[in-house]
Every structure is written in C-alpha cells, then in structure tokens.
Amino acid sequence: MNQPSLSYDFLTATLQDQPPVAREWPLANGVTARWRERGILELVPPQLDDHTDRVLISCGVHGNETAPIEVANGILRDIEQGRLPLAVHLLLMFGNPDAMQAGERYLDYDMNRLFNGQHAKHPATREAQRAAVLENAAAAFFEQAPNGCQRLHYDLHTAIRGSVFERFAIYPYLHERDYNREQLCWLESADITTVLLHSQPAATFTYYTSRHCQTDALTLELGKARPFGQNDLSRFEGINQALRRLLSGQRDPLPAFANERFQLFRAKYDLVKHSDQFRLYLHDQVENFTLLEDGFVIAEDQDVRYQAHGGNERILFPNPKVGNGLRAGIVIEPVAI
Ligand SMILES: [Zn+2]
C-alpha cells in the first residue's frame, strides 16, 4: 500500500475514523506529517531549531462549529500542497470528530467544560474520554518544546447566538502571569479587538494549556455557528490570513498595545442556575455583549436576584437551559490593562 500523500484527506479520514496507512509521511516543501491520534496531526517544518515556535490550532471542540474547521482544513490543504510554507512546529486538532460527524455541539457533555481534569468527573461521557486525549496530546507536544520558543494555542469557535461585537477572544485566567500584549496586538491583526479577560480558572481547553503547558492561549469566537457549506468564509478572512502569516513565518511588526484600540472586558460574576425556578429576563435571541441597563433585573432564582449595576455591564453566553448548578451566563464589565 502507498504512503498517505497529497490525496490523503485528513478531515474526511478524521470524520470516518480511518487512520492513515503510515504514521509519518512527507508533504510538499520538506514538511513532515505525523498522525498522532484520530483528528490530531503534527506538522514538522523543514527547518527545526531551538527557536522554532510551537503552535497548536484546535477547532471542532464543539462539533457543529464548522467555519473554523473549514478554515483550518484550508490551511492544512495549502501546507500539504506547497501553497503555504511552514515555519513553525504545528499541531492541528479536530476536537470532537463524532460530534462533528453528527453536526452536533456535543454528544454527551459539553467538551469545553471537561478540561483541566474535569473529564475524570464524567468518565462515562464520550467527550470526557476525548478531552483527556486532547490534553495528553497537547501536553506531549509542548513538553518537548525548547525553552527559547513561543508556545501558542488558538482554540477556534463560533458562538450559538449573535453578538454585538461579531468576533471576540477569551483570554484564560493567568494566575500570576501578566497579559501578553503582543498577543493582543496579533489578535488586532486578525480583526479581533474585543477580548474577555477571564478572572478565574475554567474547564476550557485554553485554560488547560495556558496553565499546564505555559502557552499563550486564546479561545477565539469568530461569528455564528452554521452547518458545513453554509458559512460565508469571507467573514473569517481576518483570522485565516493572520494564522497563515504566523505559520509561514511572516512576522510583520505590530503596533504597540494601547487600551483605546480594544474593547477589553473582565468577567464580573457568573449567573448560576441553582434550581428549576431560575428565570432569565432576557429574550431568547439576545446577543452576546448586550448592554444591561442600570437596575435591570437580569435573573432570579428562588431568593437570589441578579441585578445590573452602573449601566456598563453586559451579558455574555446567556443560556437558561443549562442543568442546575451550572453557569447560565456571565456578567462582564469594561476594564483596561
Ligand atoms: Zn464553541
């Protein structure tokens, strides 16, 4: 049997759970492909030294968020066929292949609530097993990174609902580390200037790699989720081109960071659904980042009342349909760094 080659379609093979016939094979321009697991492909550039940056691009952690999968697959295709040179050590992940195949956000449990060890609490779910696989693959990839290199992770998503700011990023909680302003400026080069700075640990993939693999990691919300083939990929050109510049080693100098060019927010508190009596007083179609008027009662749950203060707060990820004990939304407020 022949080695997998340019005709080997990694996305199709991932969806159909068909491993390649060899674990390693050459691509155009001296790039080597290494199959790690279903949906996890390592691409080794022709020039590798102690300063070669390591980049993890993940998508499909939510299986129905198809546009990022199409963007990542387009990049992979162009590397394979020699249209895009590779100057970084790249790990590409299609997060949840079974959910992708089904066209669903998830099958048993939201996978982006199962990282950072949370998978051990839900062992019977298919997503828990997969989250553990992704964590191990990321840890192994960054463990071998030389000290002098950058470690970057971009986890690409699209959101369930519309957004006042169409594209935004979530910067995981950094504990004692400072924000990497260069990363924020890189985001700006991808047409993303709205950023939520998380204020506490989370069970997300980017929190895991940021905390445990010392990456500069960002969750990117790139627009609204639509089925395969129904995406207007022109709306994703900012991130597509920024990733291509990064991967091919085009490091154009970026302007210095200034708060004024960004809309930075911090998470103020979570709306927690404690019981079936939880009522959210926002309509079903409310967009992310909708401004909350001073005094507005956002939600009530038995004797708990969540009320907006000051007129600068906004709502993010409202979802009253979550299970009891889970987050039904985040109240955020503007911040400067
Ligand atoms: Zn998502």
Side-chain angles (χ1 to χ4, degrees), residues 27-69:
L27 303 179
N29 293 335
V31 176
T32 302
R34 276 186 203 142
W35 188 87
R36 288 294 180 197
E37 297 263 359
R38 181 183 182 191
I40 305 179
L41 192 67
E42 183 178 348
L43 296 181
V44 186
Q47 319 283 338
L48 199 58
D49 63 34
D50 282 358
H51 298 282
T52 306
D53 293 334
R54 293 215 170 201
V55 181
L56 166 57
I57 296 176
S58 51
C59 56
V61 164
H62 293 136
N64 62 340
E65 297 175 0
T66 55
I69 296 166

Side-chain angles (χ1 to χ4, degrees), residues 62 65 105 157-158 221:
H62 293 136
E65 297 175 0
R105 181 174 172 83
H157 289 253
T158 46
E221 295 283 354

Side-chain angles (χ1 to χ4, degrees), residues 168-185:
F168 58 98
I170 300 168
Y171 208 137
Y173 179 51
L174 292 174
H175 297 260
E176 67 289 348
R177 286 158 69 194
D178 194 9
Y179 298 107
N180 184 335
R181 286 158 177 78
E182 261 179 50
Q183 279 299 297
L184 294 172
C185 293

Side-chain angles (χ1 to χ4, degrees), residues 20 24 34 50-51 72 88-89 98-99 103 116 157 173 190 192 205 210 215-216 229 239 280 295 311 325:
E24 189 170 306
R34 276 186 203 142
D50 282 358
H51 298 282
V88 306
H89 200 152
D98 286 330
N116 198 35
H157 289 253
Y173 179 51
I192 301 167
F205 197 13
S210 171
T215 61
D216 287 308
I239 186 65
L280 183 68

Side-chain angles (χ1 to χ4, degrees), residues 16-312:
Q16 295 172 352
D17 197 7
Q18 305 219 313
V21 290
R23 287 196 159 245
E24 189 170 306
W25 64 97
L27 303 179
N29 293 335
V31 176
T32 302
R34 276 186 203 142
W35 188 87
R36 288 294 180 197
E37 297 263 359
R38 181 183 182 191
I40 305 179
L41 192 67
E42 183 178 348
L43 296 181
V44 186
Q47 319 283 338
L48 199 58
D49 63 34
D50 282 358
H51 298 282
T52 306
D53 293 334
R54 293 215 170 201
V55 181
L56 166 57
I57 296 176
S58 51
C59 56
V61 164
H62 293 136
N64 62 340
E65 297 175 0
T66 55
I69 296 166
E70 292 184 62
V71 167
N73 200 44
I75 288 173
L76 174 60
R77 267 290 147 104
D78 284 351
I79 294 172
E80 277 178 338
Q81 298 180 4
R83 290 189 292 266
L84 183 67
L86 186 66
V88 306
H89 200 152
L90 176 64
L91 190 65
L92 180 68
M93 290 186 182
F94 292 127
N96 192 343
D98 286 330
M100 284 162 58
Q101 181 76 304
E104 301 286 348
R105 181 174 172 83
Y106 56 83
L107 299 179
D108 299 324
Y109 201 94
D110 188 334
M111 196 158 78
N112 217 18
R113 309 269 187 284
L114 287 172
F115 290 96
N116 198 35
Q118 288 299 307
H119 45 79
K121 295 185 181 163
H122 304 273
T125 64
R126 281 166 282 188
E127 276 78 14
Q129 293 162 23
R130 182 66 181 168
V133 166
L134 299 191
E135 277 189 7
N136 289 337
F141 178 66
F142 288 113
E143 236 165 50
Q144 297 156 8
N147 284 333
C149 81
Q150 266 195 302
R151 301 147 173 256
L152 303 172
H153 176 196
Y154 303 112
D155 187 31
L156 313 186
H157 289 253
T158 46
I160 301 169
R161 59 183 63 245
S163 178
V164 173
F165 306 113
E166 184 181 8
R167 289 178 285 276
F168 58 98
I170 300 168
Y171 208 137
Y173 179 51
L174 292 174
H175 297 260
E176 67 289 348
R177 286 158 69 194
D178 194 9
Y179 298 107
N180 184 335
R181 286 158 177 78
E182 261 179 50
Q183 279 299 297
L184 294 172
C185 293
W186 181 82
L187 277 182
E188 186 183 26
S189 79
D191 286 339
I192 301 167
T193 53
T194 302
V195 186
L196 173 71
L197 308 171
H198 235 252
S199 359
Q200 56 187 16
T204 60
F205 197 13
T206 53
Y207 175 80
Y208 171 80
T209 67
S210 171
R211 182 71 174 150
H212 297 285
C213 310
Q214 288 75 50
T215 61
D216 287 308
L218 292 160
T219 304
L220 306 183
E221 295 283 354
L222 299 166
K224 206 168 171 185
R226 296 182 204 284
F228 272 122
Q230 294 181 28
N231 295 300
D232 173 4
L233 288 179
S234 68
R235 303 188 85 82
F236 298 84
E237 267 312 281
I239 186 65
N240 184 26
Q241 294 306 328
L243 287 174
R244 284 164 181 266
R245 287 191 296 272
L246 173 75
L247 299 182
S248 62
Q250 287 179 47
R251 304 292 172 94
D252 301 327
L254 298 169
F257 173 81
N259 277 290
E260 301 74 57
R261 299 202 310 276
F262 292 82
Q263 295 87 41
L264 302 183
F265 297 95
R266 84 173 183 100
K268 198 169 179 184
Y269 61 88
D270 288 350
L271 299 175
V272 179
K273 178 178 180 178
H274 292 291
S275 76
D276 292 340
Q277 270 98 70
F278 182 86
R279 292 289 172 271
L280 183 68
Y281 298 118
L282 295 164
H283 63 84
D284 286 350
Q285 304 299 317
V286 69
E287 295 190 318
N288 280 322
F289 294 97
T290 294
L291 205 53
L292 301 168
E293 248 177 72
D294 185 29
F296 174 72
V297 177
I298 311 162
E300 284 179 306
D301 194 356
Q302 301 174 95
D303 51 353
V304 183
R305 168 181 271 210
Y306 297 102
Q307 194 166 11
H309 286 287
N312 275 329

